[in-house]
Amino acid sequence: MCGSLRRELGFWDAVSVGLGAVIGAGIFVVVGLAAGVAGAGVVLAVVLAGFSAVFTGLSFAELGAALPRSGGVYEYGRSLLHPALGFLMGWSWVSGNIVLGATASLSFGYYLESAFPWFSHVAGAVLLIALVTLVNVVGVRVSASVNNVLVAGKVLVLLVFAALGVLSMDPGHFSGMTSASLSSLAAAAGLFYFAYIGFPRISTMAEEVVDPERNIPRAILVTLVLSMGLYVGVVVAAVGLVGSDALASSTAPIAVAAERLGIKGLVEAGALLATGSVVLTSAMGQSRVFYAMARNGEIPERLARVSERFGTPVNSILLSGVIMLVLVLTVDLSGLASFTSFSVLLTHVFTNLAALRLDRREVSVDYSLRGVPVHAFIGLALSLVLSLSLGTRTLVAGGVNVALALAWFYGYRLLRGRAHGLRV
């Protein structure tokens, strides 16, 4: 039997969930991969990825106000496009975010192992997943409070790094910034989009946000503006301190730049906070999409059960934790950043398409120009371009994931229909 979720998140809690999801492994790790593609042009790639996210964020803001339901992209596709497309959007979003959560937990483990060599990075990742799963089960209010502390800590660390770095940088490191080709900038932006993909997590929590029609749109846009400003400052500082080649050759690029300032330990502590909050909010978001799918009978309905004691979808939270745990223990996640970006960009293509289908005579939040949702057209185009720039192997893996989603949707519907027929 399905239960109702509790509305316990205010505006700043929603912003904190967004920042907790956005600022994580992307800025601490993926910036190095993007620098390897675009060189000093990584600064422009960060801005390009951010602009793409902002246009799509406007569509999310409209949809979040019009359809404030748990599940986010899944509900938008299901309500405005087609149930199969909605399921595909939910499946793709969860796929990308589960990989993101598992990758972030391993990053946490590596930073922990760096500080305490006797502690295995795998054990650190497992411990983090167990802790965030427990926190999520206990209640959304507890999860939000823990996340608020983690977000405040990591933002403060990055602000200190950016401020000190800008004062000490070498302008010569930016000499090749404008010589990067458009194709390399697009590919780097597509990779760095990984660092922005957490902002829709706010919409997955819609049924737990107070006054969602007002708070969800504002929280999404504030999250994106703050994240983009912080990212640009951090990347400018990092490139200016050590150059794009040094960033590209390191698995911990921001830590390498911080070492030049003598604050490597502080940045490593910030990385622990950042990856911890990403895994925490990842479990929050995934479980709400599972909850919404189960409520609609598209996955086992027991996943929609809400604990009377905690007010959380416990079974969905446990499933999210188990899947991340299995990935950490069995799969090499080092090359899956592009798959995560593709999966989420695919959902953003369809989200912008859903925004085009909104009846704008009835929406309470409307960012169209004279009734024309220009932002949705631009967001759709940029999301599509960035997704197609991620390489053949990523596109093939994404295509396989799409086929699996559709096979589940129609196969489970058929089996469920037969089961109900037998009962009748």
Side-chain angles (χ1 to χ4, degrees):
M1 181 178 178
C2 300
S4 298
L5 301 172
R6 299 172 183 169
R7 293 199 182 278
E8 298 184 284
L9 301 179
F11 168 70
W12 287 110
D13 292 320
V15 171
S16 183
V17 167
L19 292 175
V22 171
I23 301 171
I27 189 59
F28 285 98
V29 178
V30 178
V31 64
L33 301 177
V37 174
V42 66
V43 175
L44 301 178
V46 169
V47 176
L48 177 58
F51 272 116
S52 178
V54 166
F55 285 116
T56 297
L58 292 174
S59 292
F60 268 100
E62 291 180 328
L63 291 163
L67 300 167
R69 305 171 193 164
S70 285
V73 294
Y74 163 71
E75 286 290 354
Y76 307 155
R78 191 172 188 274
S79 300
L80 295 169
L81 299 176
H82 187 278
L85 277 178
F87 185 83
L88 171 60
M89 291 166 69
W91 178 288
S92 297
W93 192 88
V94 166
S95 299
N97 278 270
I98 281 180
V99 172
L100 171 63
T103 303
S105 67
L106 274 177
S107 297
F108 176 91
Y110 280 119
Y111 276 106
L112 195 63
E113 188 178 54
S114 176
F116 306 101
W118 49 268
F119 203 91
S120 161
H121 65 275
V122 174
V126 170
L127 177 62
L128 176 63
I129 291 171
L131 285 174
V132 301
T133 301
L134 177 62
V135 170
N136 270 287
V137 164
V138 169
V140 69
R141 182 67 264 166
V142 174
S143 301
S145 298
V146 172
N147 183 61
N148 291 344
V149 173
L150 297 177
V151 167
K154 68 182 179 181
V155 168
L156 180 60
V157 167
L158 289 174
L159 285 173
V160 169
F161 168 79
L164 294 178
V166 167
L167 293 174
S168 306
M169 64 185 185
D170 177 1
H173 287 143
F174 298 97
S175 59
M177 187 171 70
T178 57
S179 62
S181 66
L182 288 176
S183 60
S184 65
L185 284 177
L191 269 173
F192 197 81
Y193 201 84
F194 179 93
Y196 285 105
I197 61 177
F199 73 87
R201 211 163 292 167
I202 298 168
S203 64
T204 67
M205 310 290 295
E207 291 178 32
E208 292 154 281
V209 175
V210 176
D211 193 7
E213 292 85 357
R214 183 168 178 264
N215 285 332
I216 289 177
R218 293 195 305 152
I220 288 173
L221 298 179
V222 168
T223 293
L224 280 172
V225 170
L226 292 177
S227 300
M228 187 175 175
L230 187 60
Y231 281 166
V232 171
V234 168
V235 174
V236 166
V239 173
L241 284 168
V242 298
S244 59
D245 289 342
L247 298 179
S249 62
S250 174
T251 56
I254 303 301
V256 168
E259 193 168 14
R260 182 68 60 88
L261 296 171
I263 57 169
K264 184 180 178 182
L266 178 65
V267 167
E268 287 179 334
L272 287 173
L273 296 174
T275 50
S277 66
V278 166
V279 180
L280 176 66
T281 58
S282 184
M284 290 170 72
Q286 296 159 30
S287 61
R288 272 54 177 188
V289 176
F290 284 142
Y291 166 81
M293 288 176 165
R295 185 169 57 182
N296 291 324
E298 293 171 353
I299 59 176
E301 293 181 5
R302 68 185 63 183
L303 293 171
R305 292 176 183 168
V306 175
S307 166
E308 292 185 7
R309 179 179 180 184
F310 301 120
T312 56
V314 174
N315 291 339
S316 288
I317 293 169
L318 293 176
L319 176 62
S320 298
V322 167
I323 295 175
M324 287 194 292
L325 192 61
V326 169
L327 287 176
V328 162
L329 294 175
T330 62
V331 177
D332 179 9
L333 296 165
S334 59
L336 293 182
S338 59
F339 171 79
T340 299
S341 290
F342 175 83
S343 297
V344 176
L345 280 165
L346 180 64
T347 70
H348 290 184
V349 169
F350 287 116
T351 297
N352 283 297
L353 187 59
L356 294 175
R357 300 288 299 273
L358 272 177
D359 185 346
R360 299 188 176 276
R361 295 170 299 180
E362 299 179 1
V363 296
S364 58
V365 175
D366 185 0
Y367 296 110
S368 63
L369 298 176
R370 297 185 178 180
V372 179
V374 176
H375 61 278
F377 285 109
I378 296 175
L380 191 157
L382 288 175
S383 296
L384 187 60
V385 168
L386 293 182
S387 66
L388 295 177
S389 72
L390 291 170
T392 304
R393 291 180 61 184
T394 299
L395 294 178
V396 170
V400 170
N401 197 43
V402 168
L404 288 173
L406 295 177
W408 174 279
F409 177 80
Y410 287 108
Y412 189 77
R413 171 182 279 190
L414 179 63
L415 291 174
R416 193 166 180 268
R418 288 179 176 176
H420 281 288
L422 287 174
R423 292 193 192 102
V424 174

